[in-house]
Amino acid sequence: MNNASSALKVAAGIFLTIALITIVVLLFVSAQEATKTAQNNFSDIQRELSQATFTVYDSTTVSGNQVLNALRKYSNKDQFGIQVITGKNATGAWYNNMVNLTTGSPTYGAITTGTATGTLAKASDEASNDYVNPSGNFESKIVYDGNNVVRGITFVQK
């Protein structure tokens, strides 16, 4: 009888150990899923915040002053370009970098090897074709690359 009691105690101990291990594994798996979900949500929020500074330029009409401020603000941003088309320069000037604007191209929104010709000095010089009239109105548009990352802004004078 003593052996049977010992065997039952050992079996109960093994059963409880297996039950505890199962519970720990289930908690660990559910915690992993919660962590993955939280990381994805955090990534989404981070992406939205990083692109929130550009929403003012998302298919809106802005003043020439805002265009000049954008040129100053993003003049040193890597992998980013601004195109300004004025009434005197129908082809426009690129600032910082040139961006591929060929619609339907697989490289739409990518930084190109061309040289940006625009300078803030020309944009402020009334005698230049690149002059941005501070009181003028410009239609702005954000340029996204294939990964949905903001790569540029285009401004077209109305």
Side-chain angles (χ1 to χ4, degrees):
M1 183 101 109
N2 201 8
N3 286 340
S5 175
S6 294
L8 283 175
K9 287 180 184 178
V10 169
I14 291 172
F15 177 74
L16 286 175
T17 303
I18 291 172
L20 276 173
I21 291 171
T22 303
I23 290 171
V24 168
V25 167
L26 288 174
L27 288 174
F28 182 73
V29 168
S30 67
Q32 273 186 322
E33 290 301 318
T35 302
K36 286 179 187 175
T37 302
Q39 283 176 334
N40 288 340
N41 289 342
F42 182 73
S43 294
D44 291 344
I45 291 169
Q46 191 175 20
R47 184 173 49 254
E48 285 176 22
L49 286 176
S50 70
Q51 295 184 3
T53 59
F54 300 109
T55 55
V56 71
Y57 307 112
D58 194 10
S59 300
T60 60
T61 300
V62 296
S63 70
N65 235 352
Q66 288 174 296
V67 172
L68 291 170
N69 287 338
L71 292 175
R72 285 185 201 99
K73 185 175 183 179
Y74 302 116
S75 65
N76 294 323
K77 185 171 173 51
D78 285 340
Q79 300 295 306
F80 191 82
I82 297 176
Q83 182 186 39
V84 180
I85 298 174
T86 64
K88 290 169 95 177
N89 186 354
T91 58
W94 281 100
Y95 297 81
N96 200 25
N97 289 297
M98 292 180 69
V99 179
N100 180 4
L101 297 178
T102 307
T103 307
S105 168
T107 58
Y108 179 84
I111 301 299
T112 65
T113 57
T115 305
T117 58
T119 64
L120 194 55
K122 288 181 184 177
S124 302
D125 179 10
E126 290 186 34
S128 171
N129 285 344
D130 296 339
Y131 174 66
V132 175
N133 182 353
S135 60
N137 288 324
F138 291 80
E139 187 67 34
S140 63
K141 182 182 172 201
I142 298 175
V143 180
Y144 296 92
D145 69 5
N147 288 329
N148 207 27
V149 174
V150 176
R151 291 293 178 207
I153 307 171
T154 61
F155 296 103
V156 179
Q157 190 167 15
K158 290 176 151 188

